Amino acid sequence: MLKSKTFLKKTRAGGVMKIVREHYLRDDIGCGAPGCAACDGAHEGPVLEPQPLDPASSLCPRPHYLLPDTNVLLHQILSVWRPGTWASVASSLRLPGSLETYVEQEQGENANDRNDRAIRVAAKWYNEHLKKMSAENHLQVIFITNDKKNKEKAIEEGIPAFTCEEYVKSLTANPELIDRLACLSEEGNEIESGRIIFSEHLPLSKLQQGIKSGTYLQGTFRASRENYLEATVWVHGDTEEDKEIILQGLKNLNRAVHEDIVAVELLPRNQWVAPSSVVLHDEGQNEDDVEKEEERERILNTAANEKMLKPTGRVVGIIKRNWRPYCGMLSKSDIKESRRHLFTPADRRIPRIRIETRQASALEGRRIIVAIDGWPRNSRYPNGHFVKNLGDVGDKETETEVLLLEHDVPHQPFSQAVLSFLPKMPWSITEKDMKNREDLRHLCVCSVDPPGCTDIDDALHCRELENGNLEVGVHIADVSHFIRPGNALDQESARRGTTVYLCEKRIDMVPELLSSNLCSLRCNVDRLAFSCIWEMNHNAEILKVRFTKSAINSKASLTYAEAQMRIDSAAMNDDITTSLRGLNKLAKILKKRRIEKGALTLSSPEVRFHMDSETHDPIDLQTKELRETNSMVEEFMLLANISVAKKIHEEFSEHALLRKHPAPPPSNYEILVKAAKSKNLEIKTDTAKSLADSLDRADSPTFPYLNTLLRILATRCMMQAVYFCSGMDNDFHHYGLASPIYTHFTSPIRRYADIIVHRLLAVAIGADCTYPELTDKHKLADLCKNLNFRHKMAQYAQRASVAFHTQLFFKSKGIVSEEAYILFVRKNAIVVLIPKYGLEGTVFFEEKDKPKPRLIYDDEIPSLKIEDTVFHIFDKVKVKIMLDSSNLQHQKIRMSLVEPQIPGVSISADTPNMDIDEPERKKKKREK
Amino acid sequence: MAGLELLSDQGYRVDGRRAGELRKIQARMGVFAQADGSAYIEQGNTKALAVVYGPHEIRGSRARALPDRALVNCQYSSATFSTGERKRRPHGDRKSCEMGLQLRQTFEAAILTQLHPRSQIDIYVQVLQADGGTYAACVNAATLAVLDAGIPMRDFVCACSAGFVDSTALADLSHVEEAAGGPQLALALLPASGQIALLEMDARLHEDHLEQVLEAAAQAARDVHTLLDHVVRQHVCEASVLLGD
């Protein structure tokens, strides 16, 4: 072991610092090749393959290892890496810290050059080392670099070196790999359109300077879903509150992609704009229609009144790209034989990507994954490369896969490591399990769930005590008994965060054995539970609360409808029914009290599909029905959650996992208030209570659906409820439930947050012991962040799945006309809701190749005047629904106006719409 | 936490050591002729000097004398040039008082004080360069100095620090690792019996991890013992050659 000491003296703000560092160079890092006698046993961890597979490269016919340099590794490993084709030494590369390959930084040499030299030295060392090891094998290490100078130097030093492109091209067995090569030679082989569209990004150092001095602002770039020329940047400053900056126009967006961290510069006040309410989708096929873009941009800048103007800025530089592989489809180039094609991502917020491929025709009509490589200044679109082919468009499997990938839902089957932590079957409750656990198997517990539910995580009971009071128990599946902290099963569940329910499929958070069997509180089997037991009087006032781990035996698994029937039918008087009646009575009181406190009852159009059991195609839609029993179960779950939240916060003030729902800023309500005003109703939004009351009062005898519509709108005004760690925040209030403290305790099978809450509670009552991560508030805060993200994504995925099935439904149904209500009015379109299907859609009034109707948009009311007809929010209209397949990528439900009739705009109810065949028409035009 | 990666994926620390490895230790005994015992130790870049006087009569107030054992008096100081920034360090500031007290407790446990009732043993330690683990270096230097003075002890006292990063216990923290702000534990061990002379930690660490960190520190202290033992034997050899045996 050799040691090198470095003494450095460094001045800092006038003072003199003596910095003392030492570095130990090691002589015990092995080369990683198995069976190497020279460094026998010195290696651990990643090893090289004993015999590198022959990838049949014409450049280097002998078996070899590849040693990519840092840049190649960073940019190409995702694209070209495929196990088996490359044998890489990257992971077990001899660190520059080892004895023979240590490289001292020379005078005048910068850090990058030193690194390059270190890698070259490593490559050289490897070649000599491998020669020593087995001369007859001719194992070689090939150095892959894209840096010209680096390559030259390497060849000078006798190291076989190639550029990435050269090497991949030489792989005769795998020609398709070339497509996957990230094209980085941006300036070199790009189409020289000559025109530079975008201004240059400033270097990072300048950006940081600017951010420090306040000239630039740093924030997350969020592209608009509806308008590709508009985006917002969320500035998360330390001092001031979060604020939003609007960016408009291609040039101001300056090549930022959704979710990038960017630096923006505010424009002078006279250039500020209001968020446009135009819906615009990027549909141009050509590169050179920049002028047209500019024209379009002008549409955005229609005069808006002073009040609406918002801080407007432009992107000056990118601090961090947040690119990921994107799902989408290829829009094949019109020019035959062309290898450059445009790729349209499924996510509208992502710009289209230009890729180079030779298999365009094979990829047409398929869902593919593409990664972005770069975005040069002279290109309208970013450049990317093809990564993976998912399958045919419209195929249910493929679409589901796309949906899951796009929403970053982990959906791979559980790994063997995870499954190894499952209990062995057959499973039964043992003595050991009963330690710290109460036997409640004698209680008359039952569960009430939606039909077809296999992951039953809650059960209830209610009985009269001798003193006349009622004992109510909520029993929650004891998942934390099976999932022990820190093991692979726990980690995987924490990563997944939540179970995702799609229309035809459920992506479990925990393996099925637990979710549908051991943790599911099915009837007539012994199950472990975590019970929350209250003693209440008949006025539903809590006298005592107690938590305990328990063993229960559910007497019945009911559906909401069955439970309702039992409560209603006078003939039934068994234990379960009396228990249910008691619960129902208490729930009603609880609900009333909760609403008095100002809890909101909101509404969202929810639909359920009836699936064909064979093909899994949706055959019918049904809006969810709400029964008394639904709210009964809900009420007790809320009560349990609140009780548990109080308990764990009492016990762990610093690291309790809670859930809060912040009150929305008043500006969120603007649209709701305006909408109500147009119907002569007043909505007060100063407190949750007044909002709830005014929503209750907002009723119109002639328009019964109005109240629901208002509630739907109110839902849209709300903020997201989030998990947080009590030590990191001081606002605990749950706005929607009007509770000062809240958490999630009742669904540990499908939410990871509940598992953590179970563990906290178990520690609080002394039934389990704590572990390090549980008491670390930073770790908990990180976990909350992931859970919040997963929950949001799960919601989006659910919605997307519903949307897809709605499409399938209308595909089979053909064209239908339905009544609808206007939810929002936009500048060139109206958003309508069809109550029958719970379906929301946009009716556009401007279409390409058609004369534009006269549109007058009034922002104040808001209303839209088309020719002579005025549309207000909540107006009843009739729309025609059909599936628009003109754009294969986004097969979408298309709606057009039927009633009221406006000549030239609306269509009659029965003539088939010609627009569906639009692409054909377009093609014809071009041929002419 | 800090952006610095204290433990790489391959399991190496910032200075190239593995988790359980000590820094290079070099030590010499008998560096001063005037003192009864003296020693100098380098643990990596941490350098400490210890001198021992005694046992001798109580100096100053006689009232301090203990009837049944010797009084151990420890003083700690650090040189102005010992850390990155030059700073005058007056005697008797809180830090050096605390360190002195800790050293005293450590050595009262190790020295057979009952053999020298009503007398005093002075241990002076000075840190010449601080690069993490100053307490450990002081204890190790003082042990050698006490041995050099020929004062009977139960055993060597070997000390080492240990920290906890990424669920791994790191032995013998350097200044960079200490500055990162993780928990840090100092342990003084009597290696032959495995008894703990002093154990100190003032950070939050989950009890599940304590065992692991303690074991890392104890192992490191045993390693230190092997090295110190070697130093002592060599010193005795040299001394006996000089005496002409």
Side-chain angles (χ1 to χ4, degrees):
Chain A
M1 203 184 282
L2 201 100
K3 179 171 146 186
S4 94
K5 278 186 188 174
T6 48
F7 284 76
L8 277 166
K9 275 195 178 176
K10 190 170 147 193
T11 52
R12 187 206 64 169
V16 177
M17 282 284 272
K18 182 176 70 174
I19 293 179
V20 193
R21 290 288 139 80
E22 54 180 349
H23 205 95
Y24 294 86
L25 297 182
R26 311 195 62 97
D27 54 3
D28 62 344
I29 305 178
C31 68
C36 171
C39 28
D40 178 40
H43 48 74
E44 43 189 64
V47 280
L48 297 178
E49 287 175 41
Q51 275 301 318
L53 285 172
D54 191 357
S57 164
S58 56
L59 275 176
C60 23
R62 291 183 297 178
H64 53 270
Y65 296 117
L66 295 178
L67 179 63
D69 79 352
T70 337
N71 277 327
V72 172
L73 199 63
L74 271 176
H75 295 118
Q76 307 283 17
I77 203 80
L78 262 179
S79 50
V80 197
W81 175 265
R82 214 173 64 182
T85 45
W86 282 52
S88 169
V89 294
S91 51
S92 54
L93 186 144
R94 270 209 154 207
L95 293 164
S98 79
L99 193 56
E100 291 104 326
T101 50
Y102 179 70
V103 175
E104 190 107 25
Q105 189 160 359
E106 281 169 8
Q107 208 134 45
E109 187 181 44
N110 65 25
N112 270 338
D113 287 343
R114 185 209 157 264
N115 283 345
D116 284 344
R117 197 154 58 86
I119 297 173
R120 285 201 303 273
V121 170
K124 200 167 178 186
W125 180 86
Y126 256 107
N127 272 333
E128 277 158 19
H129 185 79
L130 289 174
K131 219 176 274 167
K132 258 190 272 168
M133 184 180 122
S134 54
E136 75 279 3
N137 261 0
H138 299 298
L139 277 176
Q140 237 187 351
V141 166
I142 300 210
F143 183 48
I144 305 285
T145 177
N146 278 341
D147 184 356
K148 228 186 247 163
K149 263 196 214 140
N150 199 357
K151 187 186 153 196
E152 275 166 18
K153 275 189 191 154
I155 291 177
E156 243 168 60
E157 286 166 29
I159 308 159
F162 302 105
T163 67
C164 199
E165 208 179 335
E166 282 172 347
Y167 181 79
V168 173
K169 274 196 182 141
S170 74
L171 296 177
T172 41
N174 298 295
E176 81 276 3
L177 277 179
I178 294 179
D179 279 353
R180 301 212 196 169
L181 204 61
C183 45
L184 275 173
S185 37
E186 287 174 19
E187 311 309 324
N189 63 3
E190 237 358 274
I191 330 158
E192 294 297 332
S193 61
R195 276 194 60 170
I196 285 179
I197 306 173
F198 299 105
S199 53
E200 207 163 353
H201 286 156
L202 296 178
L204 201 58
S205 53
K206 266 205 182 143
L207 293 180
Q208 274 160 348
Q209 253 174 31
I211 289 165
K212 246 185 204 159
S213 64
T215 11
Y216 304 141
L217 295 162
Q218 178 179 345
T220 318
F221 182 90
R222 285 156 193 250
S224 156
R225 228 179 259 274
E226 291 180 332
N227 183 341
Y228 76 99
L229 290 175
E230 192 173 285
T232 52
V233 169
W234 276 93
V235 178
H236 18 70
D238 308 321
T239 46
E240 71 250 75
E241 285 290 286
D242 284 5
K243 79 176 177 186
E244 212 182 29
I245 294 172
I246 294 191
L247 310 173
Q248 243 177 25
L250 217 48
K251 278 182 190 159
N252 289 343
L253 299 183
N254 200 359
R255 293 173 284 162
V257 178
H258 185 63
E259 294 206 315
D260 286 349
I261 312 279
V262 296
V264 287
E265 180 187 42
L266 278 181
L267 295 175
R269 210 166 248 277
N270 57 9
Q271 286 179 41
W272 284 15
V273 295
S276 69
S277 11
V278 185
V279 181
L280 264 187
H281 295 307
D282 188 7
E283 267 157 3
Q285 184 50 265
N286 289 333
E287 308 271 330
D288 43 327
D289 49 3
V290 185
E291 286 90 3
K292 249 192 242 163
E293 305 285 352
E294 277 163 13
E295 193 178 304
R296 275 197 189 174
E297 278 168 30
R298 236 163 279 140
I299 312 174
L300 304 176
N301 297 332
T302 41
N305 69 32
E306 281 298 309
K307 220 170 52 197
M308 298 292 289
L309 294 182
K310 291 228 172 122
T312 308
R314 65 181 192 93
V315 172
V316 287
I318 310 281
I319 292 162
K320 189 174 166 270
R321 290 286 193 190
N322 250 336
W323 289 342
R324 58 181 174 94
Y326 300 102
C327 294
M329 273 181 67
L330 200 67
S331 329
K332 212 174 150 201
S333 168
D334 293 327
I335 310 153
K336 259 189 196 166
E337 305 288 314
S338 169
R339 270 166 34 200
R340 291 203 179 87
H341 304 276
L342 273 182
F343 162 84
T344 316
D347 188 342
R348 283 239 172 75
R349 291 171 299 192
I350 308 298
R352 299 202 286 169
I353 303 165
R354 189 186 309 109
I355 64 168
E356 203 171 311
T357 177
R358 287 168 199 171
Q359 344 163 33
S361 26
L363 295 179
E364 210 179 3
R366 307 255 175 164
R367 292 279 181 186
I368 58 174
I369 299 181
V370 160
I372 303 185
D373 299 326
W375 198 338
R377 285 176 63 196
N378 54 8
S379 160
R380 166 78 176 74
Y381 300 108
N383 294 328
H385 63 270
F386 164 72
V387 176
K388 195 181 166 193
N389 181 351
L390 293 174
D392 285 328
V393 166
D395 181 48
K396 251 200 301 290
E397 301 273 306
T398 316
E399 294 297 334
T400 312
E401 177 89 13
V402 169
L403 204 141
L404 293 173
L405 281 173
E406 270 302 295
H407 294 96
D408 200 9
V409 176
H411 59 281
Q412 297 77 17
F414 288 97
S415 70
Q416 211 50 48
V418 171
L419 296 175
S420 68
F421 288 98
L422 290 178
K424 301 278 166 296
M425 293 300 281
W427 175 88
S428 63
I429 299 175
T430 61
E431 278 293 303
K432 220 174 100 206
D433 295 336
M434 287 310 288
K435 209 181 125 205
N436 290 327
R437 203 175 275 280
E438 233 173 285
D439 193 347
L440 299 177
R441 278 175 278 199
H442 57 279
L443 288 177
C444 181
V445 172
C446 66
S447 63
V448 185
D449 284 284
C453 177
T454 59
D455 48 351
I456 306 171
D457 39 25
D458 50 79
L460 298 154
H461 89 270
C462 171
R463 63 172 181 177
E464 194 146 345
L465 295 173
E466 280 162 16
N467 58 11
N469 287 335
L470 291 168
E471 182 193 76
V472 179
V474 166
H475 310 275
I476 307 297
D478 191 5
V479 181
S480 62
H481 177 84
F482 297 100
I483 301 185
R484 301 312 298 169
N487 65 26
L489 177 57
D490 182 49
Q491 280 164 6
E492 179 66 20
S493 326
R495 193 171 76 90
R496 297 190 176 212
T498 172
T499 295
V500 182
Y501 295 87
L502 303 181
C503 285
E504 81 292 5
K505 173 169 181 181
R506 187 177 84 196
I507 316 290
D508 276 323
M509 181 184 81
V510 296
E512 199 174 353
L513 177 69
L514 289 181
S515 69
S516 316
N517 188 354
L518 296 185
C519 288
S520 181
L521 304 175
R522 296 188 293 190
C523 55
N524 300 323
V525 281
D526 289 351
R527 288 286 176 256
L528 299 178
F530 208 138
S531 303
C532 173
I533 298 168
W534 299 277
E535 191 179 325
M536 290 184 180
N537 59 20
H538 286 269
N539 271 330
E541 276 152 7
I542 299 169
L543 304 173
K544 253 187 238 161
V545 58
R546 143 179 107 85
F547 307 95
T548 177
K549 291 218 169 192
S550 61
I552 60 160
N553 188 326
S554 170
K555 300 290 179 285
S557 306
L558 305 172
T559 63
Y560 289 121
E562 281 168 8
Q564 190 67 53
M565 251 163 49
R566 274 172 184 259
I567 292 173
D568 293 343
S569 84
M572 298 189 80
N573 270 317
D574 54 308
D575 278 354
I576 297 172
T577 314
T578 30
S579 168
L580 283 172
R581 283 195 190 123
L583 288 168
N584 198 25
K585 203 185 88 195
L586 291 172
K588 277 184 192 161
I589 306 172
L590 285 170
K591 184 166 186 184
K592 199 170 140 245
R593 199 175 298 152
R594 202 163 57 82
I595 286 172
E596 270 166 20
K597 271 196 208 151
L600 298 173
T601 354
L602 299 173
S603 176
S604 57
E606 281 190 88
V607 286
R608 244 191 130 80
F609 287 95
H610 283 284
M611 297 284 189
D612 189 312
S613 53
E614 298 275 303
T615 59
H616 292 288
D617 283 330
I619 31 184
D620 201 3
L621 278 153
Q622 179 197 14
T623 41
K624 272 184 194 162
E625 222 177 307
L626 287 177
R627 292 191 182 79
E628 243 176 28
T629 41
N630 289 52
S631 91
M632 174 188 91
V633 174
E634 191 194 336
E635 218 50 56
F636 282 105
M637 294 307 133
L638 292 177
L639 194 63
N641 286 338
I642 293 170
S643 298
V644 170
K646 278 183 194 150
K647 175 80 181 171
I648 58 172
H649 182 245
E650 218 168 80
E651 203 78 15
F652 307 103
S653 57
E654 278 296 293
H655 48 87
L657 190 148
L658 302 175
R659 188 169 173 85
K660 69 169 174 184
H661 184 208
S667 61
N668 274 22
Y669 285 124
E670 258 167 41
I671 189 146
L672 176 69
V673 175
K674 269 187 200 167
K677 216 189 236 167
S678 70
K679 289 284 169 221
N680 289 326
L681 292 168
E682 195 192 5
I683 300 282
K684 285 197 189 125
T685 57
D686 36 342
T687 63
K689 170 86 177 127
S690 60
L691 175 66
D693 288 347
S694 52
L695 275 177
D696 286 340
R697 266 183 275 116
D699 234 332
S700 154
T702 53
F703 190 4
Y705 199 64
L706 178 68
N707 195 274
T708 318
L709 281 174
L710 280 171
R711 285 180 200 276
I712 290 172
L713 265 187
T715 316
R716 305 275 163 98
C717 303
M718 294 297 152
M719 307 281 283
Q720 275 273 329
V722 288
Y723 296 110
F724 69 103
C725 170
S726 60
M728 310 288 273
D729 208 327
N730 40 27
D731 171 31
F732 294 179
H733 195 75
H734 197 291
Y735 181 79
L737 295 172
S739 168
I741 190 166
Y742 191 68
T743 191
H744 269 164
F745 166 75
T746 51
S747 298
I749 299 181
R750 57 187 180 87
R751 290 189 304 232
Y752 189 76
D754 301 50
I755 296 185
I756 294 291
V757 170
H758 274 226
R759 287 181 185 156
L760 286 167
L761 187 64
V763 176
I765 60 169
D768 209 339
C769 56
T770 149
Y771 61 98
E773 281 75 28
L774 196 65
T775 55
D776 186 334
K777 67 176 179 181
H778 297 283
K779 291 234 169 84
L780 210 55
D782 286 347
L783 181 72
C784 287
K785 221 163 128 193
N786 180 44
L787 291 181
N788 288 331
F789 171 73
R790 295 289 178 202
H791 272 269
K792 198 169 74 191
M793 282 308 166
Q795 253 175 29
Y796 290 161
Q798 255 147 296
R799 269 183 231 162
S801 173
V802 169
F804 173 63
H805 281 84
T806 318
Q807 280 171 24
L808 286 185
F809 175 70
F810 282 106
K811 199 177 191 175
S812 59
K813 202 141 189 209
I815 299 169
V816 278
S817 295
E818 282 300 336
E819 278 183 358
Y821 296 101
I822 300 178
L823 265 188
F824 301 105
V825 179
R826 299 249 188 265
K827 231 179 207 176
N828 62 348
I830 52 172
V831 180
V832 297
L833 176 84
I834 300 158
K836 187 174 171 191
Y837 302 117
L839 178 69
E840 200 182 312
T842 314
V843 180
F844 291 95
F845 294 117
E846 279 175 348
E847 272 171 57
K848 274 183 291 178
D849 319 322
K850 263 196 183 176
K852 277 182 192 167
R854 196 156 43 80
L855 300 174
I856 302 162
Y857 176 68
D858 186 345
D859 196 53
E860 277 303 300
I861 306 183
S863 70
L864 180 68
K865 191 171 177 188
I866 301 160
E867 301 290 330
D868 296 316
T869 322
V870 186
F871 289 94
H872 290 286
I873 232 168
F874 298 147
D875 280 357
K876 196 179 195 178
V877 292
K878 201 164 187 185
V879 293
K880 192 152 85 173
I881 313 162
M882 71 212 107
L883 190 70
D884 179 2
S885 321
S886 64
N887 184 349
L888 263 176
Q889 158 81 359
H890 290 116
Q891 285 203 357
K892 57 189 170 194
I893 304 284
R894 181 147 170 155
M895 298 191 183
S896 27
L897 198 65
V898 179
E899 261 169 46
Q901 284 188 356
I902 308 167
V905 177
S906 64
I907 48 164
S908 72
D910 27 50
T911 50
N913 194 317
M914 295 308 293
D915 285 347
I916 299 177
D917 310 315
E918 219 169 313
E920 242 102 289
R921 263 185 18 199
K922 247 202 246 163
K923 256 181 213 155
K924 266 179 209 149
K925 245 195 231 161
R926 229 165 239 130
E927 278 159 23
K928 278 171 205 164
Chain B
M1 281 204 212
L4 189 68
E5 189 187 38
L6 290 181
L7 196 66
S8 75
D9 293 341
Q10 287 85 12
Y12 297 114
R13 290 155 68 173
V14 210
D15 53 8
R17 285 183 288 159
R18 277 186 215 276
E21 283 173 349
L22 292 173
R23 289 176 289 178
K24 184 171 183 167
I25 292 182
Q26 277 175 319
R28 254 184 318 141
M29 291 166 74
V31 284
F32 294 119
Q34 306 96 309
D36 292 324
S38 59
Y40 169 75
I41 195 165
E42 282 182 17
Q43 282 186 269
N45 281 325
T46 302
K47 295 166 188 173
L49 196 58
V51 286
V52 170
Y53 295 95
H56 53 71
E57 270 181 38
I58 297 275
R59 303 248 161 87
S61 134
R62 298 238 156 217
R64 290 200 303 157
L66 301 167
D68 57 338
R69 56 196 166 95
L71 177 80
V72 179
N73 172 38
C74 292
Q75 267 184 19
Y76 164 90
S77 61
S78 68
T80 46
F81 48 82
S82 64
T83 50
E85 255 171 315
R86 276 183 93 87
K87 198 167 145 197
R88 250 184 63 77
R89 285 158 216 281
H91 273 286
D93 67 338
R94 273 183 60 135
K95 197 188 151 207
S96 46
C97 279
E98 191 190 348
M99 191 69 101
L101 202 66
Q102 284 177 354
L103 287 172
R104 179 175 160 181
Q105 285 170 346
T106 313
F107 281 94
E108 275 179 347
I111 297 174
L112 297 169
T113 46
Q114 65 276 22
L115 294 181
H116 311 281
R118 303 204 301 174
S119 50
Q120 178 179 356
I121 299 167
D122 290 317
I123 304 176
Y124 299 110
V125 191
Q126 183 163 40
V127 170
L128 302 177
Q129 190 167 303
D131 186 34
T134 42
Y135 168 76
C138 289
V139 170
N140 296 336
T143 307
L144 292 179
V146 171
L147 284 169
D148 188 38
I151 298 169
M153 289 214 285
R154 287 194 176 80
D155 193 0
F156 280 76
V157 205
C158 297
C160 194
S161 62
F164 193 71
V165 169
D166 294 343
S167 324
T168 320
L170 305 183
D172 195 11
L173 299 187
S174 71
H175 176 68
V176 182
E177 287 161 335
E178 279 183 0
Q184 188 199 348
L185 171 145
L187 170 80
L189 192 75
L190 304 179
S193 58
Q195 282 173 313
I196 290 173
L198 186 116
L199 176 64
E200 192 236 350
M201 183 176 70
D202 48 10
R204 270 173 70 105
L205 180 72
H206 197 275
E207 56 174 325
D208 288 9
H209 293 145
L210 184 63
E211 190 86 2
Q212 192 190 348
V213 181
L214 203 55
E215 182 47 41
Q219 182 54 47
R222 284 193 284 276
D223 293 345
V224 171
H225 172 246
T226 325
L227 288 164
L228 295 191
D229 190 58
H230 184 72
V231 170
V232 173
R233 280 172 202 281
Q234 197 151 15
H235 178 74
V236 172
C237 277
E238 280 166 19
S240 57
V241 166
L242 286 177
L243 287 172
D245 279 357

